[in-house]
Amino acid sequence: MSEKAILEIDGKKFEFPIIRGTENEVSIDIKSLRSATGGVITLDSGFKNTGSCKSAITFLNGEEGVLRYRGYAIEDLAENSNFLEVAYLIIFGNLPSKEQFVKFENDIKSESLLNEEIKNIIDGFPKVAHPMGMLSSLTSALTAFNPVTVDINSEKELYHAVVKILGKFPVLAAWAHSKNKGTPLNYSDNSLDYISNIMQMLFRIPTEKYRLNPITVEALDKLLILHEDHEQNCSTSTVRIVGSSEAGLFASISAGVSALWGRLHGGANQAVIEMLEQIEKDGGDVEKYILKAKDKNDSFRLMGFGHRVYKNFDPRARIIKSYADEVLKDLNINDPALKIAKHLEEVALKDEYFVSRKLYPNVDFYSGIIYRALGIPSEMFTVMFAIGRLPGWIAQWREMRLNHEPIGRPRQLYIGENLRKYTSINNR
Ligand code: SDX
C-alpha cells in the first residue's frame, strides 16, 4: 500500500502520495494539489523545502556532510580519479572503460577549435570586461556558430553536443582571460590532457616555451573535480529551467554561467579572497570582521561561510583546506590569506552566532587560495568554478531533457491591488 500524506484545509482532508528516494529521502508528490483543492498552491521562497525534480546524478546529505557523484563518495573520486573521467561518470552515469575514456577525450579534443570569427566578438569587449560576463556572452554566441538545436532523441547528436561544449568552453574561458591581460589568444594543444591544456591556454605566451608544473596541474585537476556537480544549486536549476523550454544546451549553459556569477553563489570565491585581502590590509583584525558579519545593520557577510544545504562541514571545503596546505608547501608559497582564513574559521566556529546558525566554511572559502597559488587572478576564480561545473550542468540538462520534464513554470501568490477602473490623466 503506497504511503500517503494528508493535508487538511477548511475541515476537508486531501491525500498526496509519499515518494522515497534511493537514500530514503521522503517527498510528498503534490502535482495534483491545485486541481484537487480547487486552486490551493504551496509557497516556498528560495525553494528551501521544494524539490524541483527526481535526479540520479548527485546525492548530498547536508546534515551529515555527505556528497556523492553517481554513488561514488567525493573523497574517493578526488583521491583516485581525474576531472575528465569524473565528467564522463557524471554525464553518462558510470565510470568509463579505457576505450570509452580514450574516445571521449579524443572526441573532446577534436572539438577544441573555435570559429575564428569569435575573435571579432572578443575584440568588441573592453579590456576591463569581467571574464564571467565575457564567458556567458561567448557561450551564448556558440549558438550562432552551431545553430542546429540538439535532437535529444538522437544519442549521437546529444553526445556530439556534449563533447563540443566540453571542447570549446575552456578555450572561451582562456580567451576571456587573454583579453583581460592583453596577451595573444592561445589555441588548444591537443597533445595535452584536459587540465594541462587549460593551464597552457591560460598562461602560455608565444615568446616563451611554456613549462607545465605537475604540481599545479594535479592541484587544478583535483580542485575542479570537487566543483563538477552539486545537485539543484542556483546555476544548475537555471540551466534546467532554461533547457525545459527546449532552448539549446549552449544557451542553457550560458544562463548557468550568469547565475553562477552572483556573489552569493559561485562569485563567492572571488569575494572571499577580496575579503581576506581587506582583513589583511586592516591589520589582520579577524575579530572586527566576525563582529561585522554578526551585525544585522552591517551588510558585510563572512563570504565563503554558510550554505543552503550543508548544515555541517561542506566536505569539499575540508578537502580543499588540506589541499591548500599541500599545494602552498609544494610550491613554496607563503600566502598570509591562508593564515587569516584559518584564523577566521577557528574564531567563527567557536562563536554562538555561527554555531547556532550552522554556518561552516563552504567550497568557496579556501579555493581562492589555491587558485592564487596557481597564478590565477581573483577575477578568474568564478570562471574556474564554471569550468569545473560544466560537466554537472551538461549532465543535469541531459537528464532533464531525456526525462521529458515539463517546462518549468512556478506559480505565485498575488498580493497586489484588487480590480480597479482606469481614470484619465486629467482626473488623477
Ligand atoms: C555556493 O547551493 C549550492 O549547492 C551552491 C554551491 C554549489 O556547489 O553549487 O555549494 C556553491 O554557492 C556556495 C555558497 C557561496 N556563497 C557564499 O559563501 C556567500 C555567503 N553565504 C551566504 O550568503 C549564505 O550562507 C548562502 C547564500 C550561502 C545561503 O543562504 P541561505 O540558505 O538563504 O541562508 P540565509 O541567508 O537565510 O541565512 C540564515 C541565517 C541568517 O541569519 P538570521 O536571519 O537567521 O539571523 O544565517 C545568516 C543569515 O544572516 N548567514 C550569515 C552568513 N550566511 C548566512 N551571516 C553572516 N555571514 C554569512 N556568510
Side-chain angles (χ1 to χ4, degrees):
M1 214 270 268
S2 62
E3 298 173 279
K4 297 265 184 233
I6 297 170
L7 189 60
E8 185 169 342
I9 303 175
D10 300 336
K12 238 183 127 201
K13 288 194 168 113
F14 303 90
E15 285 192 352
F16 300 96
I18 282 182
I19 304 178
R20 285 180 188 276
T22 48
E23 287 291 339
N24 248 339
E25 295 166 304
V26 181
S27 68
I28 302 171
D29 181 347
I30 57 164
K31 65 171 162 300
S32 63
L33 172 66
R34 203 167 176 281
S35 54
T37 58
V40 171
I41 61 165
T42 57
L43 202 54
D44 183 21
S45 108
F47 309 114
K48 295 191 177 189
N49 305 283
T50 299
S52 60
C53 63
K54 294 178 197 165
S55 179
I57 298 169
T58 289
F59 170 70
L60 62 86
N61 178 321
E63 284 64 37
E64 291 165 24
V66 169
L67 173 59
R68 295 186 206 136
Y69 295 155
R70 300 284 189 181
Y72 293 91
I74 192 67
E75 296 81 359
D76 193 1
L77 292 171
E79 181 65 29
N80 300 303
S81 187
N82 63 66
F83 178 79
L84 210 54
E85 183 178 69
V86 173
Y88 186 99
L89 167 69
I90 286 175
I91 295 168
F92 300 110
N94 290 300
L95 286 168
S97 65
K98 183 113 183 76
E99 300 70 33
Q100 286 169 328
F101 181 76
V102 169
K103 179 179 185 317
F104 186 55
E105 187 175 37
N106 289 336
D107 290 342
I108 289 166
K109 288 181 176 183
S110 68
E111 285 295 347
S112 62
L113 198 59
L114 291 174
N115 187 301
E116 285 291 303
E117 287 181 278
I118 285 191
K119 291 182 178 176
N120 303 331
I121 303 172
I122 298 220
D123 290 343
F125 290 122
K127 188 168 181 295
V128 293
H130 194 289
M132 280 297 276
M134 288 195 267
L135 183 57
S136 176
S137 313
L138 292 168
T139 306
S140 190
L142 280 180
T143 42
F145 300 94
N146 304 274
V148 180
T149 316
V150 181
D151 170 8
I152 53 121
N153 301 310
S154 153
E155 207 175 305
K156 194 160 154 282
E157 272 196 39
L158 198 44
Y159 175 83
H160 191 207
V162 166
V163 295
K164 190 174 276 194
I165 188 77
L166 281 166
K168 297 184 186 315
F169 194 77
V171 188
L172 295 174
W175 284 12
H177 184 40
S178 302
K179 175 72 185 186
N180 286 150
K181 291 187 296 180
T183 51
L185 306 179
N186 288 318
Y187 289 93
S188 186
D189 174 349
N190 288 344
S191 68
L192 299 173
D193 65 77
Y194 198 79
I195 299 297
S196 301
N197 184 36
I198 289 170
M199 293 297 274
Q200 71 85 16
M201 288 192 291
L202 285 173
F203 297 117
R204 186 163 54 82
I205 49 172
T207 49
E208 313 274 336
K209 179 157 178 36
Y210 180 68
R211 289 193 200 301
L212 282 163
N213 178 336
I215 297 170
T216 57
V217 172
E218 158 104 0
L220 184 58
D221 191 302
K222 299 295 175 198
L223 193 50
L224 294 186
I225 287 176
L226 300 171
H227 287 79
E228 290 202 49
D229 192 56
H230 213 239
E231 52 130 285
Q232 305 312 315
N233 59 83
C234 177
S235 54
T236 300
S237 300
T238 302
V239 170
R240 274 185 171 254
I241 203 162
V242 169
S244 73
S245 74
E246 297 194 5
L249 177 59
F250 302 161
S252 305
I253 286 174
S254 167
V257 173
S258 297
L260 186 73
W261 192 3
R263 75 187 208 110
L264 294 187
H265 189 16
N269 57 16
Q270 177 177 349
V272 167
I273 215 80
E274 288 163 357
M275 171 185 76
L276 296 174
E277 284 169 345
Q278 187 186 340
I279 295 171
E280 188 195 351
K281 240 189 261 136
D282 203 357
D285 186 349
V286 160
E287 281 70 11
K288 171 181 166 187
Y289 286 86
I290 291 283
L291 282 174
K292 282 171 65 67
K294 291 160 56 175
D295 178 357
K296 290 300 167 201
N297 301 319
D298 190 327
S299 62
F300 176 80
R301 281 203 152 184
L302 206 49
M303 301 313 281
F305 250 75
H307 197 277
R308 172 59 57 76
V309 178
Y310 288 121
K311 300 306 171 194
N312 191 326
F313 251 90
D314 180 335
R316 301 167 298 175
R318 207 196 295 267
I319 298 170
I320 295 172
K321 180 180 175 183
S322 67
Y323 274 166
D325 283 326
E326 221 177 284
V327 170
L328 267 62
K329 191 163 119 289
D330 293 347
L331 295 174
N332 201 14
I333 292 172
N334 171 24
D335 184 347
L338 180 57
K339 208 157 129 264
I340 293 173
K342 287 182 175 177
H343 187 190
L344 258 181
E345 177 187 349
E346 191 197 331
V347 173
L349 295 188
K350 287 186 193 131
D351 186 300
E352 188 278 335
Y353 174 92
F354 293 90
V355 173
S356 63
R357 291 169 178 79
K358 298 181 180 168
L359 302 176
Y360 292 89
N362 59 50
V363 67
D364 294 311
F365 191 61
Y366 287 104
S367 56
I369 288 162
I370 297 181
Y371 287 135
R372 189 152 74 167
L374 304 184
I376 296 166
S378 62
E379 64 276 4
M380 278 291 288
F381 288 3
T382 312
V383 170
M384 300 314 290
F385 192 144
I387 292 174
R389 185 51 53 90
L390 180 62
W393 286 335
I394 294 169
Q396 300 272 353
W397 186 93
R398 180 175 176 276
E399 180 180 70
M400 177 273 303
R401 291 302 309 275
L402 291 179
N403 290 350
H404 301 291
E405 299 274 355
I407 184 168
R409 199 269 184 228
R411 291 282 180 162
Q412 63 161 28
L413 183 70
Y414 177 71
I415 54 168
E417 297 284 345
N418 297 113
L419 179 65
R420 49 184 175 164
K421 289 286 285 165
Y422 178 81
T423 52
S424 82
I425 194 158
N426 305 324
N427 302 330
R428 279 180 230 147

